[in-house]
Structures are given as structure tokens and as C-alpha cells.
Amino acid sequence: MYAGAMNKDTDIQLSGPFKATDGAGRAHDVKAIRIFDEGYGVIEVYVDFAGTISGLHKDKSLIDAIVAQLRTTGYKGAALTPGDSVLQESKLMVLETPDEFTTYAASKGWKDLADEFGDE
């Protein structure tokens, strides 16, 4: 499912607007950080930008600034990493999360659909 399919009924906003600086020292306006409200254990983080970020989807400084913002909302785990290149858009960065992100996401209302199947 692509980020364009996200809407107010199926996503959880983790952060509102803030500024994030890339490796070249340029500031970028982030509109929001969001996740889908449910999934099967793998959580992708969607970062919406006000302007284009073409070519910056793997910028370590920019990703570090996003992780720092998530830490202000209670995230305590490892850094996030760039998501699949086909998911990236000109004003959207998709990041992959480590396993410990699941606990944080659940605290924000995320539901793991795999839990419904139990340990079969």
C-alpha cells in the first residue's frame, strides 16, 4: 500500500510540523510524521515535507533529525533507515523501523494484525 492511500481514518500522526536539517545544512519543513494504524509487524514511517526533498531520501542528517523528533514524542529505540526506493516521493520520505519501534507504535494506538492469529 502506498502513502498516497493514507487518510485520516487509517493513519496515526506521531508528530506535527517541525524543521529538519540535511547534511548540507539546509533546513526543510516537515509537515507530519505518520504511520498506518495497523499492520503485520513491519511498520513504515511516512514523513511528509512541505517542499521537495528529491535526492535526500538517504541523507543521514535528515533521517537523524526525524529520529530526534520522534524521540521528543517518546521513541527510545534505534535509528530508522531509508525505506524501499520505490516508495519515496518528491515530498515524502518513507523510513523502515527496527523491531523495538513496535512497542512505541502500539503506545500510540497502532495494532499488530498478526496478534489476532496468536502463536499457532
Side-chain angles (χ1 to χ4, degrees):
M1 187 177 288
Y2 291 98
M6 294 179 85
N7 65 53
K8 290 183 172 113
D9 295 331
T10 62
D11 64 345
I12 297 170
Q13 184 168 316
L14 302 176
S15 172
F18 67 99
K19 287 200 182 287
T21 304
D22 66 26
R26 296 174 298 221
H28 300 272
D29 290 323
V30 176
K31 293 170 38 177
I33 301 174
R34 300 179 291 147
I35 58 173
F36 284 114
D37 64 351
E38 57 187 23
Y40 289 98
V42 177
I43 303 171
E44 291 173 325
V45 172
Y46 298 87
V47 185
D48 298 310
F49 288 83
T52 185
I53 56 158
S54 295
L56 295 174
H57 295 95
K58 294 182 179 182
D59 186 284
K60 182 173 178 355
S61 295
L62 194 55
I63 294 170
D64 287 349
I66 292 164
V67 172
Q69 179 66 21
L70 286 172
R71 293 193 193 295
T72 70
T73 68
Y75 178 60
K76 295 176 178 28
L80 282 61
T81 57
D84 191 325
S85 61
V86 299
L87 297 177
Q88 311 299 338
E89 297 177 10
S90 65
K91 293 183 178 182
L92 176 75
M93 179 183 287
V94 181
L95 299 172
E96 293 183 2
T97 60
D99 290 339
E100 62 264 31
F101 193 87
T102 304
T103 302
Y104 166 75
S107 76
K108 301 296 184 183
W110 179 79
K111 180 179 177 186
D112 186 351
L113 297 175
D115 285 346
E116 294 178 11
F117 297 106
D119 295 327
E120 296 177 13

